[in-house]
Amino acid sequence: MTTPTMRAIRLHEHGGPDVLRYEQVPLPQPGPGEALVRVHAVGVNPPDWYLRDGMSNLPEHVRPKFSLPVIPGTDLSGVVEAVAADVDDFAVGDEVFGLLRFPGFDGSTYAQYVAAPASDLARKPAGIDHIHAAGAPMAGLTAWQFLIELGHDHPSPFQAAQHRPVPLDAHTTVLINGAAGGVGHLALQLAKWKGAQVIAVASGAHETFLRELGADEFIDYTKHHPEDLAHDLDLVLDAVGGPHSRRFLRTLKRGGSHFPVFFGEFDDEEATQLGVTVTGTQVRSNGTQLAELAHLLDTGTVRVAIDSTFTLADAKAAHKRAAQGHLRGKIVLTVA
């Protein structure tokens, strides 16, 4: 009997975008608690290229284990083709989207079909297409779990303390660094939904875009150091993060919080002297939270901006676009 197959992107070795191979692979079968999803679009995220290059940017002790060959990808939007006998929440024909099995690296969404944990899925908002839905899960849940509700009690590999979102309202001023990117532009809209005043930091080319999303103030980092202009902030969400993130500590008022999305290098003594808190988390799959976000997407309260689209077969070009930086929203792969 012939084994059913599909097309997918796989890694057989680590390296640059050219190691992404478009090839024939076995069709997955849904196990207990899973749905087989026919993929229509795939969101491209930083963990995809971290996996591709072998996690060289992460400390060795927190690198997840995986074996090659592997199908990358965690975000998808598609249609349910089959469900396991124990799945009651979804039926064949349902349009769904989700962040699969994260923080693991076996989401395997760069493919025509995926066996997806039903608990990681939510119904796709009827008001948006698969491309926009595929751009939402990881970036949207990252913004949600940092700003709105953590929704889990798993410890972060980057800190001992449990992350606690800061209540946002009209009396809260939030600075978002990297505001035009995937996490940044969704975090801006969620903060505005809660009524906060938002200062967006990005290059000048994105000012009009970010003001249209609701930014109250804008700082062009190519012309000014945002840490020299912003003061007395309640919260900084640094969607760029990394070793230079500590420069934002002095923009906070006493009692303020700094949330680096990508872990940085901070001096605990400096934070204590300034009377501020530095905390972060690692985004996790959560179909329930995604369903809440779906409502905001469906009503247009939050919208996903698409930087560019590529076909699944052209995933190499998508990764090359990501490496260029200066993204406005999300890169998405379309799947035939």
Side-chain angles (χ1 to χ4, degrees), residues 193-231:
W193 170 57
K194 287 295 186 179
Q197 298 294 302
V198 178
I199 303 169
V201 178
S203 68
H206 299 307
E207 180 173 4
T208 299
F209 164 63
L210 293 171
R211 289 193 181 277
E212 288 174 350
L213 293 184
D216 298 286
E217 296 180 43
F218 177 83
I219 298 175
D220 181 350
Y221 74 84
T222 69
K223 296 180 178 178
H224 307 283
H225 296 296
E227 66 272 22
D228 293 339
L229 298 182
H231 304 286

Side-chain angles (χ1 to χ4, degrees), residues 41-48 51 71-77 97-111 114 116-117 120-121 134 137-139 141 283 285 290 330:
V42 179
V44 177
N45 295 294
D48 303 352
L51 175 65
I71 299 173
T74 58
D75 279 2
L76 66 75
S77 183
F97 71 140
L99 166 66
L100 305 190
R101 299 187 177 91
F102 201 79
F105 282 84
D106 51 356
S108 303
T109 61
Y110 282 34
V114 173
D120 292 351
L121 299 173
M138 176 171 280
L141 285 175
V283 64
S285 300
L290 196 58
K330 297 290 300 180

